[in-house]
Amino acid sequence: MATVLVVEDAPSQLELINSFLRDSGHTVIKAYDAKDGMSKAINHQPDAIITDVVMPEISGFEFCRQLKKNPATQKVPIIICSSKNQPINLHKPQKESGKGSSKSSLITIEPRFKPALGTTGCSWG
């Protein structure tokens, strides 16, 4: 089976995802924030990464950007998982032609999964 890095700052959510993955035969590497996750992603080269969106210091979106910029991790598939059962808005900067000008577009990410037993925004099955 696969080795999966799970980056989640909430211990209960981390253990829930860990339990589902281990019960399915996967090896799980745990990280409690993006900084620790980046280090473990580089050192362990997981087959996939599951990350939370809202984390202290570095958001899940910034963590994904860092992973994709690093040659050692840029090809690892990333799954963004959040316990928030509501749309998440993200401002994505876009460069325009011209000197130093830029604009921002709004991207809304809608939840795709129903909560499992009312505990998480991700369901497995």
Side-chain angles (χ1 to χ4, degrees):
M1 289 289 182
T3 297
V4 182
L5 171 62
V6 179
V7 184
E8 170 63 68
D9 63 316
S12 61
Q13 298 286 29
L14 180 61
E15 288 308 315
L16 180 66
I17 295 169
N18 176 51
S19 175
F20 286 133
L21 290 170
R22 285 191 189 274
D23 288 351
S24 297
H26 301 290
T27 300
V28 178
I29 301 164
K30 297 186 239 178
Y32 290 92
D33 59 38
K35 184 177 178 183
D36 186 31
M38 190 66 175
S39 173
K40 288 181 177 176
I42 292 168
N43 292 330
H44 296 281
Q45 295 291 298
D47 298 306
I49 298 170
I50 299 175
T51 184
D52 188 13
V53 175
V54 180
M55 294 186 288
E57 296 183 38
I58 301 171
S59 76
F61 294 119
E62 180 57 32
F63 176 53
C64 290
R65 284 194 267 300
Q66 291 177 7
L67 288 166
K68 293 304 174 185
K69 286 180 183 177
N70 189 313
T73 57
Q74 66 187 18
K75 294 186 179 186
V76 179
I78 302 168
I79 301 165
I80 297 177
C81 184
S82 178
S83 61
K84 299 192 182 320
N85 196 18
Q86 58 192 10
I88 298 168
N89 292 323
L90 169 68
H91 289 275
K92 180 179 178 186
Q94 295 179 336
K95 291 184 179 178
E96 291 183 31
S97 56
K99 245 186 183 177
S101 62
S102 65
K103 65 179 183 176
S104 176
S105 64
L106 179 65
I107 299 170
T108 301
I109 300 171
E110 295 287 339
R112 294 184 65 190
F113 302 101
K114 301 266 188 221
L117 304 174
T119 58
T120 180
C122 297
S123 62
W124 307 85

